[in-house]
Amino acid sequence: MSNVGETMALAVCSDKNMGSGITIWDPKTGETLLHIPTCASPSYGLISLRNEFLVASQTRKEGSVGGGSMFVWSLSKPQSPLRSYPLEPIGPLASTKDGAYLAGGAHSGNIHLWEVGSGKLLKLWSGHHKPIKFILFSWDDSFLITGSADGMICVWSMISLLDVELVGSAQPILYCLMEHKSSLTGLITMSGYSMSMIISSSLDGSLKFWDLMSGMIRGTQGHVEGITEIVLHPTEQFLFSGTVDGKIFASRLEFGLDNCITIKESQLFASTGHKGAITALAFSQMDLVSASEDCTVCIWDIDSQRIIQKLDHKKGRITNLVAVPRSSLLISTSNRKRVLKQFDKYPQPANLSTSTIPLFPSSRPLGENPNLVGFTSAGSLNQQIFDMKTEGTSAAIQMKVDTRLQSRMWASRMTKQVMEMNNHLQSKLLDMMQTRLFPKKRKDQRDRVARTREKHPLSFH
C-alpha cells in the first residue's frame, strides 16, 4: 500500500528468467525510469524495504539442486546487488514497517526470520506441510501471518519468535485457520476502526474476514469465479478482487456493531482490461494497478473506472507489483540513460560462495539483546495494557506478552545471581566449619606455607 499524496513509481518483475530483471515505470506516463537486470522472482517475492531497497527472492530453475538466493538493490544508486544464499529457495517475503526484520516462506513449508541490521538468521522452523504462498506482518508488526497452498493460515506472535529461550524446529503458534477448500490466492491485514482483521481469498471463490485476535470468522463472501488476487484500498473501505478470467470486482466494506464485516456493495469494476487471469493487484497513490497473464499492466482511475495507462511487459507475465516513492530513485531525466548503462556494466561476482549477506543500517539503535528493544518499566506497561484493553487492539495482548517475557528474563537473571551468591556463601561456610572442626590441622598448614615462603621468597622482574 502506498503513501497517499506522494509521487510513486511502479516496480514490476516476472518469474520467467533471470534476464528479464526488474522494470521501474512511471505509472502516469508509462516511461521506463529504471531497469535492473538479473532478477526472476516468484509471486510476492519482491518487496520494498524501508522505501530504500528492493529485496527479491529468486526463482530456482527446474532441475537445479541446492539452496536458494535473494538479491538486494539500493534504490538510490546503481550497483551490483548484494546477495544472500539461504539453505533453501525462498518464495514470498515480508518485512516489518521499520525494516528491522525480514521473513521468508519456503516451498518446503519452512519459515525463515532474519534480523536485517546484522543479516543474522534468527529462526528457522517448520510452519506448514505445504508450500508457503503468503507471508506478512500484521499492521502493527505484532504478529507474523503465513498461508500455504492447502488453504491453511497460521498466526505467530513476534515476541515469542524473538524469545532467545525458545530454540528448536517447533515454535509456539497462536492458532491455525483452515476454512478454505482450495489454495490461498490472497492474504492481507487491516487495522479496522475497532479491531484487527485478516482478509483471505482462495481459488474456491471465497473471501473470508477473520478476527486477528481470536481467529473467528467475522464475514464471508462467495464469487462464481475463482479469485486470484486481492488488494485493499488505502482508505480500507473497499476491497478489489481479481479473477481467473481477468475480471476485477470492487466490494464496499462495512463494520458492524457486533465486530462483523459485511459486504455492503459488490460490483463488477472491470471486465475488458485483461485477456488472462489477474496475477497482481496494487495501488499507486489512489490509482488501482492490475497485471495479468496476458503480460499487460493497466492503471485505473477508480472514480471513472477507466484505464488511464496501459503498459506491455514483453518479458513475461508479471508476478510482482510494488509501488515505491519516486523520490527514492534520485534519478533525473538527464542522467537516466547513463545510469542504465552503469547497471548493465556491473560485473557479477566471480565466486558466489564469498558473496556477502545483505547488511543494512538499523533504523533504530539496538542493544546487545534485540529482544529488549522498546521495553519500559513493568508498571508503565501494565498501565498501557489497561488503557488499550478498552480499545480492543492487538497491541494490548502483545504488550501483555512483552511484560511476561520481560518478567521471565528478569527472574532468570535474578536466579543466576542468587545461585552465584549461594555458591559463594557455601564455600565460605565450609571454610569456617573446617577451621572450627580441625583447628590444629589448619595451623600446621599455615606454618608450612610460611616456611616455604621464607625459603623461596617471591621476586618480580
Side-chain angles (χ1 to χ4, degrees):
M1 192 178 299
S2 59
N3 296 327
V4 178
E6 187 173 10
T7 303
M8 306 299 291
L10 191 66
V12 302
C13 73
S14 172
D15 61 352
K16 185 177 180 180
N17 59 67
M18 293 292 287
S20 60
I22 300 172
T23 302
I24 300 181
W25 278 319
D26 184 331
K28 295 295 184 183
T29 65
E31 181 185 8
T32 299
L33 301 176
L34 190 64
H35 178 256
I36 303 174
T38 318
C39 179
S41 185
S43 297
Y44 304 99
L46 175 68
I47 64 169
S48 173
L49 182 68
R50 296 208 306 260
N51 287 328
E52 299 175 28
F53 305 92
L54 285 177
V55 184
S57 58
Q58 301 301 309
T59 303
R60 188 174 66 171
K61 295 180 180 179
E62 280 201 33
S64 62
V65 295
S69 60
M70 296 192 302
F71 295 174
V72 184
W73 300 266
S74 172
L75 287 171
S76 61
K77 57 183 178 180
Q79 61 181 11
S80 181
L82 294 172
R83 302 175 179 228
S84 177
Y85 295 92
L87 297 176
E88 59 183 334
I90 301 298
L93 292 173
S95 69
T96 53
K97 291 180 178 60
D98 59 3
Y101 301 102
L102 178 71
H107 189 273
S108 64
N110 289 337
I111 304 170
H112 300 241
L113 181 64
W114 294 274
E115 182 184 55
V116 174
S118 64
K120 179 182 178 182
L121 178 64
L122 298 179
K123 289 287 173 69
L124 168 59
W125 73 100
S126 177
H128 293 265
H129 299 296
K130 296 293 183 178
I132 296 179
K133 295 292 186 180
F134 297 90
I135 189 164
L136 67 160
F137 291 91
S138 60
W139 66 275
D140 60 355
D141 292 334
S142 299
F143 304 100
L144 179 66
I145 307 163
T146 57
S148 61
D150 58 0
M152 178 179 288
I153 301 170
C154 294
V155 179
W156 318 80
S157 168
M158 274 298 290
I159 198 64
S160 297
L161 295 175
L162 297 177
D163 189 347
V164 294
E165 296 179 4
L166 297 175
V167 180
S169 59
Q171 296 299 319
I173 187 171
L174 293 182
Y175 55 81
C176 281
L177 309 172
M178 195 66 184
E179 294 292 332
H180 287 292
K181 299 178 181 179
S182 185
S183 176
L184 287 178
T185 57
L187 193 63
I188 54 180
T189 62
M190 62 186 302
S191 59
Y193 298 102
S194 62
M195 58 190 299
S196 298
M197 302 292 296
I198 302 173
I199 306 176
S200 60
S201 65
S202 171
L203 282 176
D204 61 15
S206 65
L207 282 169
K208 295 186 183 297
F209 303 86
W210 313 81
D211 181 355
L212 177 59
M213 307 297 287
S214 65
M216 296 181 62
I217 294 180
R218 296 300 186 183
T220 187
Q221 184 189 31
H223 279 267
V224 177
E225 303 88 351
I227 300 175
T228 56
E229 293 288 330
I230 56 174
V231 68
L232 197 63
H233 190 271
T235 62
E236 295 193 343
Q237 295 179 351
F238 298 91
L239 180 71
F240 291 83
S241 309
T243 64
V244 293
D245 55 2
K247 296 177 182 178
I248 301 175
F249 290 85
S251 303
R252 186 162 70 90
L253 308 180
E254 184 174 278
F255 285 84
L257 296 177
D258 53 352
N259 289 334
C260 290
I261 286 186
T262 57
I263 306 296
K264 197 66 177 178
E265 293 179 18
S266 183
Q267 64 179 15
L268 180 62
F269 177 81
S271 60
T272 59
H274 297 287
K275 297 179 181 179
I278 302 297
T279 58
L281 290 174
F283 268 92
S284 175
Q285 295 173 285
M286 301 302 286
D287 296 329
L288 176 67
V289 185
S290 61
S292 169
E293 285 185 345
D294 62 9
C295 301
T296 62
V297 176
C298 293
I299 294 123
W300 304 82
D301 177 73
I302 297 294
D303 295 331
S304 64
Q305 301 183 20
R306 294 178 57 188
I307 298 175
I308 57 179
Q309 190 68 244
K310 190 166 186 175
L311 306 169
D312 289 324
H313 189 261
K314 299 179 181 179
K315 299 175 181 179
R317 67 161 196 157
I318 292 176
T319 52
N320 290 280
L321 292 173
V322 177
V324 297
R326 179 76 176 267
S327 58
S328 299
L329 299 178
L330 294 180
I331 299 174
S332 63
T333 305
S334 59
N335 66 358
R336 190 169 299 133
K337 292 183 179 180
R338 178 177 59 82
V339 168
L340 290 175
K341 291 180 180 179
Q342 285 178 325
F343 258 109
D344 294 333
K345 288 180 180 179
Y346 269 96
Q348 301 302 323
N351 186 359
L352 298 183
S353 63
T354 61
S355 300
T356 58
I357 294 176
L359 299 177
F360 308 99
S362 299
S363 59
R364 57 183 175 182
L366 298 178
E368 293 182 0
N369 189 345
N371 301 320
L372 298 180
V373 173
F375 280 138
T376 57
S377 66
S380 175
L381 281 174
N382 288 330
Q383 181 61 41
Q384 293 180 50
I385 293 169
F386 177 78
D387 294 339
M388 286 188 294
K389 274 184 177 179
T390 59
E391 301 175 9
T393 64
S394 61
I397 285 185
Q398 189 63 20
M399 292 187 71
K400 190 70 175 178
V401 179
D402 289 350
T403 308
R404 292 175 180 173
L405 175 59
Q406 184 186 23
S407 301
R408 186 165 70 244
M409 297 179 72
W410 176 85
S412 178
R413 290 196 300 269
M414 292 300 297
T415 301
K416 183 178 179 180
Q417 293 178 10
V418 170
M419 291 178 64
E420 291 176 351
M421 291 175 62
N422 285 341
N423 291 336
H424 180 71
L425 291 174
Q426 288 178 4
S427 178
K428 289 292 185 182
L429 182 60
L430 288 174
D431 288 342
M432 292 175 61
M433 292 177 63
Q434 189 174 14
T435 301
R436 291 184 179 181
L437 294 175
F438 308 101
K440 185 176 185 303
K441 182 177 180 181
R442 294 286 294 176
K443 183 177 181 302
D444 293 342
Q445 185 177 5
R446 288 196 298 270
D447 291 343
R448 285 196 302 271
V449 172
R451 286 195 297 270
T452 302
R453 288 178 177 174
E454 290 176 358
K455 294 180 180 180
H456 306 282
L458 295 174
S459 59
F460 298 92
H461 302 282

